[in-house]
């Protein structure tokens, strides 16, 4: 996350994420699922421009969500935590698709939280920001960190991991959203085969061989997401025939990404997908 302060405004650029690996290891008493996931920031990003205000306003996208918008909720949570009624006006430039498994809402929440802290000079330490972030959503803590990370718990325990090189991706957003809660509801834990070990993806990321990384991509949520929205299964099958180094659904969907060896390869593949009418096609690289 990049934060620039000046002229009475705080501007934040926050990246999207993809999950290179996601295994579910159990269900918790609070209804959430215990995860082992590797989150990776990519170069598709939202911009937030924040100014002091008497109340909390959001403009530029998703206004219809009102107080339910995660960015607004993050500011409300920070107000409560810091015991202040100071407000913030947020102007959002949205590029991360919503309901795509790319963390769009959580990214905006983390950015709003960081901006609020800087704008009002609250000087909340990272530990406090993380606590507020976790109360807003499971993925929000990752965006405060902003580096490739192994995330556990319900996703809020974030440990940065080593990566040897930048990767290149093509993202396909099919034009419809996937409901995270519904995908988790459909997950049949008792029927899941032996758990996938996260070490394979961690080792290949540290090694840097794209073919090996492609083989280690895994997402346990694909099965319940495909059961919930069968066209996603067909999309994965079609993308798997395009010659990517690996294809995976991100998070709880609906977007998928194909791993490429270079920027040129990603552009070429994206061009072919666009020609054939594959929804919204975007190219990115690791941050
Ligand atoms: O934490 P967040 O609000 O992003 O999660 C959305 C929904 O996804 C939760 O209400 C829950 O149903 C499901 N979820 C889960 N286990 C996780 C993360 C999310 O069951 N670790």
């Amino acid at each position: 996350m990049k934060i620039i302060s000046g002229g009475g405004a705080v501007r934040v650029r926050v990246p999207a994420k993809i999950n290179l690996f996601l295994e579910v290891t159990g269900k918790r008493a609070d209804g959430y699922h215990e995860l082992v996931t590797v989150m990776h920031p990519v170069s598709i990003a939202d911009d937030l421009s924040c100014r002091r205000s008497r109340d909390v306003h959001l403009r530029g996208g998703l206004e219809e969500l009102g107080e339910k918008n995660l960015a607004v909720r993050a500011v409300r949570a920070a107000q409560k935590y810091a015991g202040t009624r100071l407000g913030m006006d947020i102007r959002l430039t949205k590029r991360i698709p919503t309901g795509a498994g790319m963390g769009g809402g959580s990214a905006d929440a983390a950015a709003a939280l960081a901006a609020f802290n800087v704008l009002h000079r609250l000087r909340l330490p990272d530990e406090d920001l993380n606590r507020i972030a976790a109360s807003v959503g499971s993925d929000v803590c990752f965006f405060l960190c902003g580096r490739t990370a192994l995330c556990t718990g319900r996703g809020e325990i974030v440990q940065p991991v080593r990566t040897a090189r930048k990767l290149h991706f093509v993202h396909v957003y099919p034009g419809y959203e996937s409901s995270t809660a519904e995908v988790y509801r459909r997950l049949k834990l008792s029927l899941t085969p032996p758990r996938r070990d996260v070490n394979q993806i961690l080792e290949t990321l540290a090694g840097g061989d794209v073919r090996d990384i492609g083989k280690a991509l895994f997402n346990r949520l694909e099965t319940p997401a495909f059961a919930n929205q069968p066209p996603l299964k067909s999309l994965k099958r079609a993308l798997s025939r395009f010659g990517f180094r690996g294809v995976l659904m991100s998070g709880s969907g609906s977007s998928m990404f194909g791993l490429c060896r270079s920027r040129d390869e990603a552009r070429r593949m994206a061009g072919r997908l666009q020609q054939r009418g594959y929804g919204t096609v975007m190219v990115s690289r690791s941050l």
Side-chain angles (χ1 to χ4, degrees):
M1 187 154 51
K2 234 185 251 161
I3 306 177
I4 299 167
S5 189
V10 174
R11 293 186 178 81
V12 185
R13 171 158 287 190
V14 63
K17 62 89 177 162
I18 53 174
N19 302 71
L20 300 175
F21 178 94
L22 192 161
E23 178 60 292
V24 182
T25 57
K27 189 162 182 190
R28 303 159 30 140
D30 63 6
Y32 279 90
H33 291 79
E34 205 66 38
L35 306 182
V36 177
T37 182
V38 175
M39 298 216 226
H40 186 68
V42 297
S43 56
I44 298 163
D46 282 355
D47 287 328
L48 282 78
S49 177
C50 304
R51 290 181 178 274
R52 287 164 188 258
S53 164
R54 273 207 237 149
D55 200 1
V56 185
H57 303 282
L58 181 103
R59 281 180 290 157
L62 309 177
E63 283 99 335
E64 68 280 6
L65 289 176
E67 289 287 319
K68 279 200 200 139
N69 185 289
L70 283 190
V72 175
R73 272 169 45 191
V75 177
R76 295 288 184 211
Q79 283 179 324
K80 200 165 156 199
Y81 193 91
T84 174
R85 295 184 65 179
L86 292 166
M88 188 163 84
D89 187 54
I90 307 167
R91 192 178 284 270
L92 175 65
T93 306
K94 190 96 200 119
R95 299 189 196 89
I96 309 172
T98 47
M102 298 179 74
S106 305
D108 297 345
L113 186 55
F116 192 70
N117 193 34
V118 172
L119 190 68
H120 295 300
R121 298 196 174 90
L122 299 177
R123 297 198 173 87
L124 293 172
D126 288 352
E127 204 185 312
D128 291 6
L129 291 175
N130 268 310
R131 202 165 296 149
I132 302 167
S135 77
V136 177
S138 308
D139 290 350
V140 184
C141 297
F142 162 76
F143 290 100
L144 289 178
C145 159
R147 293 173 46 195
T148 306
L150 173 63
C151 304
T152 52
R154 60 184 173 88
E156 86 287 14
I157 304 168
V158 179
Q159 284 169 266
V161 300
R162 212 164 70 77
T163 55
R165 51 166 288 171
K166 303 266 186 217
L167 302 171
H168 297 273
F169 303 96
V170 176
H171 307 265
V172 177
Y173 175 65
Y176 48 85
E177 301 189 2
S178 175
S179 156
T180 304
E182 187 54 36
V183 169
Y184 276 105
R185 241 194 315 275
R186 280 185 180 255
L187 178 73
K188 294 191 180 73
L189 266 184
S190 53
L191 297 181
T192 50
R195 301 213 173 103
R196 281 287 280 259
D197 184 0
V198 72
N199 284 312
Q200 195 190 353
I201 189 79
L202 295 179
E203 282 161 18
T204 56
L205 284 172
D209 186 301
V210 176
R211 234 176 343 172
D212 291 344
I213 295 169
K215 282 189 209 143
L217 297 174
F218 176 76
N219 185 349
R220 179 67 67 196
L221 297 180
E222 281 190 336
T223 306
F226 294 173
N228 195 35
Q229 289 172 305
L232 285 177
K233 189 175 184 174
S234 318
L235 178 61
K236 166 117 185 194
R237 203 178 300 135
L239 292 177
S240 299
R241 287 197 285 257
F242 261 80
F244 288 109
R245 315 288 148 164
V247 174
L248 196 70
M249 184 182 82
S250 185
S252 56
S254 59
S255 77
M256 311 239 168
F257 62 88
L259 174 63
C260 299
R261 221 183 35 198
S262 64
R263 192 170 66 159
D264 283 350
E265 186 178 86
R267 285 187 177 160
R268 232 180 9 253
M269 298 288 247
R272 282 172 56 202
L273 288 167
Q274 260 152 0
Q275 262 175 5
R276 296 187 196 185
Y278 276 84
T280 306
V281 180
M282 294 169 287
V283 167
S284 83
R285 61 169 175 76
S286 309
L287 276 196

